[in-house]
Amino acid sequence: MSAREERDAGPLTVFISYRRSDAAGTAGRLYDSLSKRFGDEHVFMDVDSIRPGEDFTAVLTDVLERCRAVVVVIGPGWVTATDDDGRRRLEDPGDYVRTEVARALSAGVSVFPVLVDGATMPRAEDLPPDLQALTTRQAIEISPTRYQYDVGQLVAALRHLHRPWWRTGAGRAALAVVAAAAVVTGALLWPDGGDDGGAGAEEATATGPTGGRGTTGAGTATATEEPTVELLRVRVNFQTPASETPEGYLADFGEPFGPREGPEQGEGLTYGWVHQGTHDPYDMVGKGRDRDTPGIEQRRDTLMHMQAGDPGSWEIAVPNGRYAVDVSVGDAAPTGAHSINVEGVPVISGFDGTGELYEENGTQVEVTDGVLTVDCVGGQNTKINYVHVTQLPSA
């Protein structure tokens, strides 16, 4: 394995590059936000990450060699900052900021320009040659008036770089075998006659006999028969362990991402919760609710608080391909502004429940890494009721 492959297969390390005279305060706030989502050990910023007595240059070099992403904080004075002699700092080959960014660009590390305090993206002609490639990177603007939302967009971009074991080549292959085997046996299908949901989903026939709630039986093919490969179709309800599971749904109680083995959870499936912005398993048990509201159907009367404390995202291991996904949000006691994204695609944005208590919407997405992700970036007090996932036939 090459040094770059080893780095990419390891844990995510984010390096924050900034100029102290330009945006130290905003960089410090950004460090706190990213550390909360990725962990202190995975986010590096010089003044907080270098111990007294350590060689500043040597530590920077080591971190840059193993980091997966460099966040370049650009304030209004990032380009024009000068030294004591009046020379522009970026013209000095030994300038720390120039060295950090140039090394990241040359090493093929993912580089994210972050514009703060009203700064605009530098022009290529204003930068030395080894920094000009920075201008081809898509910038993210962080405004103090919408700080949480803007940081959420940065986190969503960074999370695609974070590959735990199930997102490595070997991990994806193992999950694909498990998911494909479950589809063959019919373990992922809801009972015939159920509403498939799935925005724009093409109909996929199911021929196996139905089994218990939320699953179908495995069938009784003889040794000479070929198994019937079905398209994955699964419906998951978010609830408390004591709640009654709606007919045709699997039950999610908020357990961390991993293989599901509990009753009514779909044996053979791998799904659950992760910290938003990462793929680190996250225990959300205790954040589910069952409102027991008269006149409200059970699948909507139950919910999971996605943003109670540290936000959580929900993931399910699936075979690569195209999927139709429907999601419902809302609460009998409406609060917040519910937002849902599937694989980064906005599905519900800012639903506040003032007109209707619930909103369901769907989209189609392409999964290429073996895991489908549902997050709440951009929302406030988002509460998810249920999700439908339908694999679409290949073209």
Side-chain angles (χ1 to χ4, degrees):
M1 180 183 291
S2 68
R4 181 173 179 178
E5 289 173 333
E6 184 176 357
R7 176 194 68 201
D8 290 346
L12 173 67
T13 298
V14 180
F15 182 92
I16 300 177
S17 173
Y18 72 103
R19 193 175 294 285
R20 295 183 187 179
S21 63
D22 178 46
T26 305
R29 187 181 182 189
L30 186 59
Y31 171 83
D32 292 339
S33 298
L34 296 182
S35 295
K36 180 179 178 181
R37 289 163 170 80
F38 295 104
D40 292 340
E41 69 276 19
H42 298 315
V43 182
F44 181 92
M45 193 173 86
D46 55 6
V47 294
D48 289 312
S49 305
I50 298 180
R51 294 188 295 269
E54 288 189 301
D55 187 305
F56 185 85
T57 303
V59 173
L60 286 179
T61 299
D62 175 66
V63 172
L64 283 168
E65 286 180 350
R66 56 187 172 86
C67 73
R68 302 259 299 284
V70 172
V71 172
V72 182
V73 181
I74 300 175
W78 191 81
V79 173
T80 59
T82 58
D83 59 21
D84 293 339
D85 297 325
R87 182 175 64 165
R88 202 161 63 110
R89 290 187 180 277
L90 287 181
E91 300 298 335
D92 178 7
D95 176 61
Y96 282 123
V97 170
R98 176 175 173 177
T99 299
E100 292 163 2
V101 179
R103 286 183 179 177
L105 292 170
S106 64
V109 173
S110 295
V111 178
F112 297 86
V114 172
L115 308 177
V116 302
D117 302 330
T120 58
M121 194 65 185
R123 300 179 303 172
E125 55 264 34
D126 294 331
L127 300 176
D130 55 356
L131 297 189
Q132 290 180 356
L134 179 66
T135 63
T136 66
R137 269 56 173 184
Q138 182 65 40
I140 295 175
E141 182 180 358
I142 293 183
S143 166
T145 60
R146 57 173 195 272
Y147 178 81
Q148 293 299 333
Y149 176 82
D150 291 339
V151 170
Q153 302 307 301
L154 175 60
V155 168
L158 288 170
R159 72 177 178 81
H160 290 291
L161 305 176
H162 187 51
R163 299 192 303 168
W165 70 267
W166 60 83
R167 286 186 178 266
T168 64
R172 287 198 303 269
L175 287 179
V177 170
V178 172
V183 171
V184 169
T185 64
L188 307 188
L189 301 176
W190 60 70
D192 294 337
D195 176 16
D196 287 2
E202 302 177 42
E203 185 172 355
T205 59
T207 58
T210 58
R213 182 182 298 162
T215 63
T216 58
T220 56
T222 66
T224 60
E225 292 177 328
E226 291 294 330
T228 300
V229 178
E230 305 286 356
L231 295 175
L232 182 153
R233 298 184 296 168
V234 61
R235 298 192 294 185
V236 176
N237 190 66
F238 301 102
Q239 59 184 72
T240 70
S243 299
E244 179 183 356
T245 305
E247 186 71 26
Y249 282 80
L250 303 175
D252 184 290
F253 309 131
E255 301 100 320
F257 180 90
R260 296 278 75 90
E261 299 175 352
E264 300 181 333
Q265 292 195 297
E267 185 175 354
L269 289 175
T270 297
Y271 63 82
W273 292 89
V274 298
H275 288 277
Q276 184 165 285
T278 78
H279 297 288
D280 298 329
Y282 180 25
D283 189 349
M284 295 268 286
V285 175
K287 297 183 179 182
R289 297 291 185 272
D290 188 339
R291 296 304 191 195
D292 197 22
T293 308
I296 302 295
E297 60 179 324
Q298 180 70 359
R299 63 176 186 163
R300 283 183 166 167
D301 203 35
T302 52
L303 57 90
M304 188 68 62
H305 282 268
M306 297 182 73
Q307 294 174 301
D310 190 15
S313 298
W314 185 81
E315 294 192 326
I316 181 170
V318 296
N320 288 341
R322 192 154 185 83
Y323 289 82
V325 182
D326 276 347
V327 182
S328 173
V329 299
D331 189 2
T335 56
H338 311 278
S339 293
I340 292 290
N341 311 282
V342 179
E343 288 294 292
V345 177
V347 178
I348 298 173
S349 300
F351 173 71
D352 60 11
T354 55
E356 300 288 338
L357 293 177
Y358 306 94
E359 178 169 322
E360 178 179 319
N361 201 8
T363 188
Q364 294 185 13
V365 298
E366 188 78 26
V367 175
T368 60
D369 58 2
V371 182
L372 185 147
T373 302
V374 178
D375 70 54
C376 57
V377 171
Q380 180 182 0
N381 200 22
T382 298
K383 301 169 187 176
I384 187 171
N385 310 120
Y386 58 80
V387 61
H388 300 173
V389 178
T390 304
Q391 185 180 13
L392 300 178
S394 57

